[in-house]
Amino acid sequence: MSWQGQLGTIVRYLINDTDPANYKYSDQRIETSILVAGKLMLMSVDFRNAYSINVEACALTPDPTDEETMDDPFITLTCLKTACMIVGGE
């Protein structure tokens, strides 16, 4: 599973948007929010990996969920920041 699937699932659980038949937020909105939160986190925290984030292209490299580049702190902090941004915007 790619970062979109894993981080998207975590964020959906954090914001209580888990019923696929009634998603409040589209996958694209969740993924874009994750990338924006990731960019913000890169300004605040030095992670093990050097990430390249392109919001317009919906790209995050390296994949923080890949077995070789697994980065739990990036995953956790980015998902929490994403949830805060989404819930804060409601």
Side-chain angles (χ1 to χ4, degrees), residues 24-68:
K24 183 173 182 180
Y25 300 101
S26 69
D27 288 339
Q28 182 180 4
R29 171 90 184 268
I30 296 288
E31 291 167 13
T32 301
S33 297
I34 290 168
L35 293 173
V36 169
K39 285 211 72 74
L40 295 172
M41 293 310 305
L42 290 178
M43 295 188 315
S44 304
V45 180
D46 289 326
F47 294 103
R48 180 172 47 141
N49 299 319
Y51 291 99
S52 175
I53 298 174
N54 186 326
V55 177
E56 290 179 337
C58 196
L60 169 59
T61 54
D63 185 338
T65 65
D66 186 66
E67 189 173 311
E68 293 177 16

Side-chain angles (χ1 to χ4, degrees), residues 2-11 34 64-65 74-75 78-79:
S2 66
W3 68 265
Q4 293 97 327
Q6 290 190 39
L7 275 64
T9 299
I10 294 168
V11 169
I34 290 168
T65 65
F74 178 86
I75 293 168
T78 299
C79 288

